[in-house]
Amino acid sequence: MLKYAVIGHPVGHSRSPGMQNAAFSRCGIDAEYLKFEVAPEELPEFLRFAKKHLAGFNLTVPHKQIVLPHIDEIDPEAARIGSVNTVKVLPGGKLAGCSTDGVGFEEAVRYRLGMELSGRSCLLLGCGGAARAVAFRAIGSGAARLVIANRSVGRAEALAAELGGKTGVCALDNRDRLAAALRDADLLIQATSLGLHADDAPPIDPELLGINPRLAVIDLVYLPTKLLRKAAALHLNACDGKEMLLRQGAASFRFWTGVEPPVEAMRSGMEHDRADAPPSEWRRQA
Ligand code: NDP
């Protein structure tokens, strides 16, 4: 039986096992997907283990960036983002890595919001790992304009410089600049980490969403955030981060197996996942 896993620190909350095991089962592939708690200092030991015992794995916080020097063949998009979330163990033990966050984002926008990125004007909140994946994908897919709003403006300026033209930068607390960007935008992308906790303040004043009745909204957080609740009250076209999670998982499955992912089976597997199940002991899988 082939073995796959997601590694993280913490990893307990991950719903990837339910999603990927449903895909393997639906496609008749004899494989099992587990979750492993791996601390950053354990990564080199884990990679030696993975080369011998796994067919592939996903990575979540804090491994997506620190794994880069260990990857033998990096997909160009992942190299640009500076982040890998999917690794395939090649015959002979070499590691091939890619990032499926960007395609997951683009497919979530396509299938949940009914929108293509090409020609669109976007306002992106945040500048971390997820925002970088979104930004490179949006520009790569032909977005007409991308304004990046971040708490640390210097980070937004650095990202805009990497992306080249078609970009603008704004401080997250500059209400007038945000209002102008929202008025011009087709799509608002919330990619800060705010909203994961019920008492988080929203990254921008939700009342600003009322400026533009044509605005579509995607919040990468998996929960109904204050921003999304306001978008729903205004009847805006909006979705949370679950579709992106599903679509990035589907792209990982395709990368490992070459098989077209059974997306609806994966959705059902993700929704029914016992996210509270404890991680498996990876050293015992040897
Ligand atoms: P990072 O830690 O890399 O980035 C965090 C971002 O949030 C930065 O832009 C940071 O700004 C900003 N931020 C954090 N705290 C505050 C604050 N108090 N006020 C204003 N801005 C703040 O996180 P990731 O990019 O990895 O993840 C971001 C979110 O996206 C998370 O909720 C994560 O769960 C979600 N995500 C969802 C995915 C999906 O498939 N749906 C995939 C990946 C991530 P600054 O630069 O100033 O520090």
Side-chain angles (χ1 to χ4, degrees), residues 126-130 150-152 155 192-194 220-222 241 244-245:
C127 218
N150 199 41
R151 175 178 59 179
S152 319
R155 277 186 94 187
T192 74
S193 41
L194 292 172
L220 269 48
V221 173
Y222 321 114
M244 174 169 161
L245 183 68

Side-chain angles (χ1 to χ4, degrees), residues 5-39:
V6 54
I7 67 163
H9 185 66
V11 76
H13 61 283
S14 174
R15 289 179 185 270
S16 293
M19 177 166 50
Q20 299 295 351
N21 283 319
F24 289 130
S25 165
R26 174 61 61 92
C27 295
I29 297 171
D30 186 23
E32 176 185 34
Y33 187 105
L34 301 164
K35 61 182 171 190
F36 296 147
E37 183 77 36
V38 177

Side-chain angles (χ1 to χ4, degrees), residues 41-279:
E41 63 275 13
E42 294 174 313
L43 185 63
E45 183 191 351
F46 170 78
L47 294 175
R48 285 194 294 278
F49 158 85
K51 287 175 182 188
K52 281 195 202 152
H53 301 290
L54 299 184
F57 53 98
N58 285 126
L59 307 99
T60 182
V61 177
H63 298 299
K64 287 185 186 187
Q65 283 89 26
I66 60 176
V67 78
L68 280 173
H70 303 280
I71 304 296
D72 301 292
E73 296 176 14
I74 301 183
D75 167 81
E77 182 170 336
R80 276 195 296 274
I81 301 167
S83 163
V84 159
N85 75 344
T86 309
V87 170
K88 178 156 66 174
V89 181
L90 302 172
K94 285 199 167 175
L95 301 178
C98 72
S99 171
T100 62
D101 283 339
V103 67
F105 160 72
E106 183 167 27
E107 290 190 356
V109 170
R110 176 177 300 139
Y111 294 115
R112 277 300 301 275
L113 301 179
M115 187 184 258
E116 294 298 329
L117 295 168
S118 175
R120 301 295 185 174
S121 181
C122 305
L123 172 59
L124 171 64
L125 310 181
C127 218
R132 286 181 65 84
V134 164
F136 280 99
R137 180 52 71 141
I139 293 295
S141 292
R145 180 147 178 82
L146 179 73
V147 176
I148 307 164
N150 199 41
R151 175 178 59 179
S152 319
V153 188
R155 277 186 94 187
E157 283 167 351
L159 177 56
E162 279 184 68
L163 290 161
K166 297 191 191 170
T167 50
V169 168
C170 163
L172 208 47
D173 58 3
N174 188 332
R175 194 182 171 92
D176 291 344
R177 290 285 307 281
L178 281 172
L182 278 169
R183 210 170 282 124
D184 290 344
D186 302 300
L187 178 63
L188 170 66
I189 307 144
Q190 196 308 101
T192 74
S193 41
L194 292 172
L196 274 177
H197 307 288
D199 56 350
D200 279 351
I204 60 170
D205 178 0
E207 295 299 326
L208 285 170
L209 300 188
I211 281 178
N212 179 352
R214 293 179 301 105
L215 189 70
V217 181
I218 180 166
D219 194 324
L220 269 48
V221 173
Y222 321 114
L223 305 168
T225 60
K226 289 169 183 147
L227 208 61
L228 280 178
R229 283 202 287 270
K230 185 66 190 179
L234 291 166
H235 305 291
L236 298 181
N237 184 17
C239 73
D240 65 25
K242 284 201 216 89
E243 190 75 22
M244 174 169 161
L245 183 68
L246 171 68
R247 300 283 171 176
Q248 60 82 29
S252 294
F253 180 84
R254 193 185 290 118
F255 182 69
W256 291 321
T257 64
V259 173
E260 201 43 38
V263 174
E264 292 314 316
M266 296 178 84
R267 186 191 306 280
S268 170
M270 178 175 82
E271 279 163 7
H272 292 102
D273 184 90
R274 281 191 54 234
D276 54 345

